[in-house]
Amino acid sequence: MPRRDRILTWALRAAACTAAATLALIVCFLATEALPLVAKIGPLRFLRDALWSPSSGLYQMTPMLAGSLLVTLGAVGIAAPLGVLCAVFTHFFAPRGVATLFRRALELLAGIPSVVYGFWGLVVLVPKINAVHPPGASLLAGIAILALMVLPTVALAADASFAAVPRELVANARALGLGKWGTLRLAVLPSARSGLCTACILQTGRALGETMAVLMVCGNIVQFPQSLFDPVRTLTANIALEMAYATGDHRAALFVSGLLLMIVVLLLLLAAEGVSRAQPAR
């Protein structure tokens, strides 16, 4: 092997090992901080306690876990189909100039900081929801803001998946007499399915870990929402709100919630890896 290739190989191995070691250290740190409290009170207390009140020794996280999952699933449920449709438009139907301009706009939206989305939601979206059904800061506001944040990245990832479809496959489908819609439905979408599913799963992980935007628009009340207009608090928002003054078991409980989020995200990454290795439908 040439010397330059050996240097590149070892550099890539070092980068991979560094990334893996960083992840392992994060998980170890979270476990070190969280497990003493888990061993002290047992894992079921985090699900069965009457409420979240660490000062009183009560640590129920179920409402915040439910809030995190509802906000995330609602946002991804909206952003995923819209993102795929945006990618279909830019890749197959839009003129070249319009498609290029649309991609640049998506890239710009994807690069906007989450606090900007949260601020816009706080001053524009929340008052509009409040006019329909008080209090405005609610599960619905969190879903809308998070969907707006995730949509550009899903669209760009879907566009990249469509670009990776072999040109021969599209040409063969057109040669068989299929129109644009038939080619898209019978050839392109099945071939790109693995990439589309992976993009949606990874964006689910990003949405699950979002903090600032949902903290600003969701209301931050620890409760099970009965409707879309009820305020909720997510696990990430709870950590951001309480870590500054938490001590002792209270601080350890926040690390438990962080460890729980890490486990969920790792499961999503494993699912994405499994989907990416799956063979596309024929």
Side-chain angles (χ1 to χ4, degrees):
M1 181 184 296
R3 184 170 179 271
R4 290 183 177 179
D5 290 349
R6 289 198 304 270
I7 293 174
L8 177 60
T9 299
W10 282 105
L12 293 175
R13 288 175 179 174
C17 291
T18 301
T22 301
L23 176 60
L25 288 173
I26 292 173
V27 174
C28 289
F29 174 72
L30 290 174
T32 301
E33 296 289 340
L35 291 182
L37 180 62
V38 176
K40 178 180 177 181
I41 68 174
L44 295 181
R45 285 278 303 277
F46 297 101
L47 303 176
R48 294 180 177 177
D49 277 355
L51 49 88
W52 171 262
S53 180
S55 60
S56 303
L58 300 174
Y59 301 100
Q60 191 192 69
M61 295 183 182
T62 310
M64 292 180 286
L65 178 60
S68 297
L69 293 177
L70 288 173
V71 171
T72 299
L73 294 178
V76 174
I78 294 172
L82 289 179
V84 173
L85 289 176
C86 288
V88 168
F89 170 73
T90 57
H91 204 81
F92 297 101
F93 293 96
R96 183 183 297 273
V98 174
T100 300
L101 183 63
F102 193 66
R103 289 190 184 98
R104 299 294 86 79
L106 290 173
E107 291 169 357
L108 178 63
L109 288 173
I112 295 176
S114 62
V115 67
V116 176
Y117 282 104
F119 183 67
W120 178 86
L122 184 63
V123 300
V124 176
L125 182 62
V126 168
K128 291 185 180 298
I129 295 176
N130 181 65
V132 176
H133 192 295
S138 59
L139 174 62
L140 178 60
I143 289 174
I145 288 298
L146 209 53
L148 187 61
M149 291 176 58
V150 172
L151 173 62
T153 313
V154 173
L156 291 171
D159 186 65
S161 297
F162 290 146
V165 174
R167 293 180 179 271
E168 294 81 5
L169 184 65
V170 177
N172 291 340
R174 298 303 295 270
L176 291 173
L178 295 177
K180 281 189 176 181
W181 171 242
T183 300
L184 180 66
R185 182 171 63 90
L186 298 176
V188 176
L189 286 177
S191 180
R193 184 184 63 181
S194 176
L196 296 176
C197 291
T198 301
C200 292
I201 292 173
L202 292 177
Q203 290 311 304
T204 301
R206 182 204 170 187
L208 189 65
E210 177 54 43
T211 303
M212 186 55 66
V214 294
L215 185 152
M216 297 173 73
V217 302
C218 282
N220 300 311
I221 296 179
V222 183
Q223 64 176 0
F224 285 101
Q226 302 301 315
S227 74
L228 287 172
F229 298 100
D230 287 343
V232 295
R233 179 184 290 189
T234 64
L235 286 171
T236 53
N238 189 57
I239 295 172
L241 286 169
E242 300 188 6
M243 182 56 77
Y245 61 87
T247 59
D249 288 346
H250 184 187
R251 181 175 182 272
L254 296 180
F255 278 100
V256 172
S257 60
L259 183 62
L260 178 61
L261 282 172
M262 175 66 77
I263 292 172
V264 174
V265 172
L266 286 176
L267 291 176
L268 286 172
L269 291 176
L270 291 175
E273 181 67 18
V275 169
S276 66
R277 293 185 178 184
Q279 293 293 328
R282 299 293 182 185

